[in-house]
Each structure stands twice: as structure tokens, then as C-alpha cells.
Amino acid sequence: MRPLVLAAAMIALCPLARAEDARPSETACDATKIGARELAECLRTNADKSDRQLAAAVEAAVKSIDARQGLLSSQKARWRRSLIDAQAQWVAWRDSECQDVAPFESGMDAKSGDPRLRCIIDYDAERVSSLKARYP
């Protein structure tokens, strides 16, 4: 038990550990460095950017499917449809999570910015990373 407490204290005091744990929305829009108006604009801009990056990652995944060797065109078509359907379901889940859940978890605090936009940025970054890893 004692080593765990010591390890937790070291992590809490180590600035490097906290920097590595920063969420994409915090890295893009640091509430400690910009004012509320700039923060709101930064979050809106980065949420739009993250949506474009997500769309590009899905498009790249579809192209990766099309480039796969050893599959029939009907298999590729089914895989593409399945990926597109899964992506639509994922976006619906993300939108519900970010619109309905995130505000309750963090509250609408102007100092940290809109939690809905932060949520979108963070989840989009995770999904883009996942798609890039699965469809190189």
C-alpha cells in the first residue's frame, strides 16, 4: 500500500506525467493561457477540425479496404458498408455522449470552455487514432 501512495504522489507532482495525460482538447485549447472568448472560438475551430480529420480517416480506411488483395469485390463492398454503418453509429453515440452526458460530468464552467466541444475533440482524436491503427 505504501509504494502505491508514493507512486501516486510522484505522478501528481511530476509535470511531465500531467503533460502526457493532457487530452487533445486541452492541448489544442489551454484554458489557462487564453481568455473565455478566445477559448470558445478555439474549441469551435478545433471541433470542426477534428470532424474533418475524422472524415478523412474514414475515407482513408475505405480506400485501404479497396486496396486489400485477396478479397472479392463483393466482400470489399460489404466491409465498406459495415464500416460506414459502424461509423454512423459511432458518431450518433459520440453526439449523444457529448451533448447529453458531458455537460453533467463537468458542468458548464466558462473557465474550462464548453464541455460538449471538448468531448467531441477528445473522442474524435481517439477514433482517428483507432482507424489509422486498424487501416494503415
Side-chain angles (χ1 to χ4, degrees):
M1 179 78 161
R2 191 176 224 172
L4 289 176
V5 172
L6 181 59
M10 289 177 66
I11 289 171
L13 295 175
C14 179
L16 236 48
R18 282 181 285 188
E20 290 173 6
D21 292 341
R23 296 183 324 213
S25 64
E26 293 169 340
T27 302
C29 304
D30 188 346
T32 63
K33 295 182 181 176
I34 56 179
R37 184 172 291 148
E38 294 84 7
L39 178 60
E41 182 60 31
C42 180
L43 289 170
R44 273 192 296 283
T45 299
N46 279 280
D48 291 342
K49 180 181 173 183
S50 72
D51 278 340
R52 287 190 305 272
Q53 289 171 335
L54 181 58
V58 171
E59 185 178 326
V62 168
K63 287 179 182 178
S64 174
I65 291 168
D66 289 337
R68 296 284 170 109
Q69 299 295 317
L71 293 174
L72 299 173
S73 60
S74 61
Q75 291 171 314
K76 290 179 184 182
R78 182 171 181 201
W79 189 359
R80 282 191 308 271
R81 278 192 312 272
S82 295
L83 176 63
I84 298 300
D85 289 347
Q87 181 62 20
Q89 291 173 15
W90 183 89
V91 168
W93 170 84
R94 180 211 60 191
D95 289 349
S96 178
E97 179 82 6
C98 293
Q99 184 66 33
D100 300 330
V101 178
F104 288 109
E105 291 177 343
S106 60
M108 293 295 291
D109 180 11
K111 291 180 183 176
S112 62
D114 188 337
R116 296 169 295 195
L117 294 175
R118 286 196 178 279
C119 178
I120 288 169
I121 294 166
D122 295 338
Y123 278 131
D124 281 359
E126 288 177 18
R127 182 68 172 169
V128 166
S129 178
S130 172
L131 288 169
K132 285 182 176 182
R134 292 167 44 211
Y135 298 93

